[in-house]
Structure formats: structure tokens, C-alpha cells
Amino acid sequence: MALGSDHAGRALKDFLLGHLGAQGHNCVDLGTYTDESVDYPDFGALVGNAVANGTAELGVCVCGTGIGISIAANKVSGVRAAVVHDVTSARLARQHNNANVVCVGQRVTTQEVASQALDAFLEATFEGGRHQRRIDKLSDLDKLRDS
Ligand code: RB5
């Protein structure tokens, strides 16, 4: 799993890294590594590219709200990044949207809620069926953009 954040999400990203490590997940920390101000598009792109090129199966992104870094990750073809705020949105992001990057905001959630949401995301599986048709349409949009 690839994790990335800007400065506003670094503490939560580090917490989630520890949380995942304690569960035995193989994680790569793509930064940022300090509280120095950085730009979330750089880290959303790093995580998105790691997922898109297969270096990582899934990504975890954190910024202040989860929004900016999700927008950045979603610019990478093949990435479906979802901002989640709780267990339900995290579970549905996987079951319905087949999200491959999960994004949370350090300024809008707690470590406890974020780690519970992340667990729910990892435990859930894509339901396919009618949702596959919609994922295919997302892939078509990627192709259109890349053409
Ligand atoms: C950084 O100050 C902040 O704007 C960023 O972390 C994020 O919340 C943007 O969506």
C-alpha cells in the first residue's frame, strides 16, 4: 500500500502508517516527511502513479480535508480516489466505486475514525454487477482524456 500526504495530513498519515504496519500490511511512505509546507498535488500524484503503475495495489492519501489530494490522485488515469469520512462511506467507496485510493482529512476527522474507516475500506470488496458498468464508464472517461 502506498501512503502520501501534504504537511496538513502528515501526522494522520504517519498514524495510519503505524496502524497498517501493526496489522502486517506492506506499506511504502511516499512522504511528506516533515511539517514544512508542501503542495498536495505532488503527493496525490505520487500515490496515484504508484497505484496506476502497479507498484502498490491501493493508496492512502491525507491532506487537511482529503479533498485536494483526492483531486490530484484522480488526475492519474486508472485511479479512483474517494474522500471518506466514516466507516460507511469507506465501505461503499470499495463496494460500489471500486476505489483504489482512499483519502481522509486530518482537519476533519480523528485518528480513531480515520483508522476505522481505513479498516472498513480494506475489509470491503467490490460488488461488481451493476457497479461494473459504471466503473467501465469511468475507464472510458480516462481513455477520452488520454486520447
Ligand atoms: C493545506 O493548507 C490545505 O489546503 C490542504 O491540506 C487541503 O486541505 C486541500 O484540500
Side-chain angles (χ1 to χ4, degrees):
M1 217 168 316
L3 285 85
S5 74
D6 70 357
H7 57 288
R10 188 200 55 78
L12 181 55
K13 182 261 292 171
D14 287 351
F15 176 82
L16 295 175
L17 196 61
H19 179 76
L20 291 168
Q23 293 178 353
H25 291 287
N26 187 20
C27 294
V28 54
D29 182 0
L30 298 176
T32 190
Y33 306 112
T34 73
D35 287 334
E36 187 185 335
S37 183
V38 291
D39 299 329
Y40 59 78
D42 298 335
F43 297 90
L46 282 175
V47 173
N49 282 319
V51 171
N53 69 27
T55 307
E57 192 185 339
L58 294 171
V60 179
C61 285
V62 192
C63 67
T65 58
I67 296 171
I69 202 161
S70 74
I71 294 172
N74 274 317
K75 297 288 181 192
V76 180
S77 227
V79 168
R80 291 176 301 278
V83 185
V84 305
H85 291 101
D86 49 32
V87 163
T88 302
S89 53
R91 181 171 45 79
L92 287 169
R94 199 82 187 278
Q95 289 177 333
H96 287 194
N97 311 114
N98 201 13
N100 48 16
V101 176
V102 61
C103 308
V104 289
Q106 181 177 307
R107 290 175 176 156
V108 296
T109 191
T110 61
Q111 291 182 341
E112 186 187 10
V113 169
S115 55
Q116 287 170 352
L118 183 53
D119 290 346
F121 181 82
L122 295 175
E123 281 161 21
T125 51
F126 179 52
E127 288 178 353
R130 69 188 187 281
H131 303 296
Q132 184 59 57
R133 183 179 68 247
R134 295 155 188 169
I135 300 306
D136 291 344
K137 290 187 177 185
L138 292 176
S139 301
D140 289 345
L141 290 171
D142 274 344
K143 284 181 203 141
L144 200 61
R145 180 176 55 186
D146 297 343
S147 66

